[in-house]
Amino acid sequence: MITKINLSNIIQSFAMGGLVFSNEQDFQFAIATQIKSLPGVKNVFLEPLSLSISFSTVEGHVKQIGKDYKLPRDKKQYHDLLIEQDDGTYVVIELKYKTPGKMCIYKTKANKFITLSQGDYDLAAYDFLNDVYRLENIKSRYFQNDIQLNVSKCFCIFLTNDKNYRYNDFSRSKIWTNYTLCAGKITPAKTPLLFFAKASTPSLTYSIKSKLFTAITLKNAYNHDWEDYPLCDVYGTPYNDYEDKMNSYHPGFSFLIFEI
């Protein structure tokens, strides 16, 4: 059965094997493969679709309107992993894999790897907490065969070599202060995570890069219990500069798991 402990063990095993992922899809496939081998796991599905309306409603629209019917984008979501367990229950997992605003190079016993520049860590932290919100409300979604009724738990996993997720409290960017994933902090429950575009004016919405962000209210509180990704170079020296104090091209990786 899927637990936070065995998910952590899988990610730790990637590090011990010298693995660095080129992108989120690479990470998604690797973790799916390992989850499939766990006792009690029957099937693992990648990118399953869920809807905000029932599949029978969609079927009715298709039959009524025909080939011209298009499902509105805001009605559908895709999830990184859906795990079917032997007891008939399901687990949904969302993944985030983010890299810093620079290229990084690693040489391990497995291979030579590079990670490409991403940045936008404040927006990505928001997106991660939005994934948590989505998973907290997963039973209000519709999957095929109504399997949402049998979802027993969910997880949100973040793997990164960008120090800003683990160590930045966003105090220099008041707008996003409530969306920091900084170690030692807690994302609170049952209170809107407001934006502060102006120092004294909290807002339920914020717009940037032609995208509108809406304040998230979570049902549960979450501790930011980051873990080290114990990756070593080809000589066995750890890539353990998790805070990137040396501003090097090979900062350490960290990961965070929320159980929903």
Side-chain angles (χ1 to χ4, degrees):
M1 309 299 279
I2 307 299
T3 67
K4 184 176 179 178
I5 291 175
N6 54 34
L7 290 174
S8 176
N9 287 341
I10 287 172
I11 297 171
Q12 297 266 356
S13 73
F14 292 153
M16 300 301 290
L19 292 183
V20 173
F21 302 103
S22 59
N23 53 49
E24 190 168 288
Q25 290 71 33
D26 194 15
F27 178 42
Q28 179 189 31
F29 182 79
I31 198 168
T33 300
Q34 292 303 308
I35 288 173
K36 182 66 172 68
S37 68
L38 291 175
V41 172
K42 184 176 181 180
N43 284 306
V44 178
F45 305 96
L46 278 66
E47 301 296 330
L49 172 67
S50 76
L51 305 176
S52 61
I53 54 177
S54 68
F55 277 79
S56 60
T57 299
V58 174
E59 183 179 11
H61 289 329
V62 172
K63 289 180 178 178
Q64 181 180 8
I65 300 173
K67 66 179 181 180
D68 293 329
Y69 175 71
K70 291 181 172 54
L71 184 68
R73 182 176 297 180
D74 64 353
K75 303 296 184 187
K76 58 186 178 181
Q77 293 176 358
Y78 292 92
H79 306 275
D80 287 313
L81 299 174
L82 174 68
I83 296 98
E84 181 183 7
Q85 302 185 115
D86 287 344
D87 64 358
T89 63
Y90 292 82
V91 174
V92 183
I93 298 177
E94 297 290 359
L95 305 171
K96 282 285 182 288
Y97 179 71
K98 294 295 180 180
T99 57
K102 61 183 179 182
M103 288 185 63
C104 299
I105 303 172
Y106 300 87
K107 299 178 181 180
T108 75
K109 63 182 180 182
N111 212 329
K112 296 180 182 178
F113 303 92
I114 62 170
T115 66
L116 302 180
S117 173
Q118 284 187 320
D120 283 343
Y121 52 82
D122 42 11
L123 306 187
Y126 172 93
D127 286 342
F128 178 77
L129 291 177
N130 194 46
D131 281 348
V132 175
Y133 171 81
R134 290 169 57 200
L135 292 178
E136 284 188 338
N137 295 280
I138 198 69
K139 292 197 175 183
S140 68
R141 307 288 303 173
Y142 293 90
F143 289 81
Q144 286 183 305
N145 302 318
D146 291 331
I147 64 173
Q148 72 276 359
L149 301 176
N150 294 315
V151 173
S152 60
K153 66 177 66 174
C154 301
F155 296 93
C156 228
I157 301 175
F158 205 125
L159 175 62
T160 183
N161 58 339
D162 185 341
K163 65 179 180 181
N164 286 295
Y165 297 105
R166 185 173 180 176
Y167 296 103
N168 191 339
D169 64 4
F170 294 0
S171 58
R172 294 186 179 182
S173 175
K174 298 293 185 182
I175 296 167
W176 300 100
T177 300
N178 287 324
Y179 293 92
T180 178
L181 300 174
C182 189
K185 288 187 174 291
I186 298 173
T187 298
K190 301 176 182 176
T191 181
L193 303 177
L194 299 173
F195 304 99
F196 292 87
K198 296 181 180 179
S200 59
T201 310
S203 175
L204 285 167
T205 60
Y206 178 67
S207 181
I208 188 174
K209 295 185 176 181
S210 301
K211 181 177 180 181
L212 179 67
F213 296 86
T214 302
I216 296 167
T217 301
L218 299 179
K219 296 177 181 178
N220 303 300
Y222 297 92
N223 293 311
H224 304 172
D225 297 326
W226 286 91
E227 299 183 56
D228 298 342
Y229 185 79
L231 183 72
C232 293
D233 67 17
V234 69
Y235 304 108
T237 303
Y239 288 114
N240 59 3
D241 185 11
Y242 304 109
E243 295 185 68
D244 197 14
K245 290 182 177 179
M246 295 185 293
N247 191 28
S248 69
Y249 56 83
H250 44 66
F253 282 83
S254 304
F255 67 95
L256 177 66
I257 303 175
F258 284 174
E259 180 173 346
I260 292 94

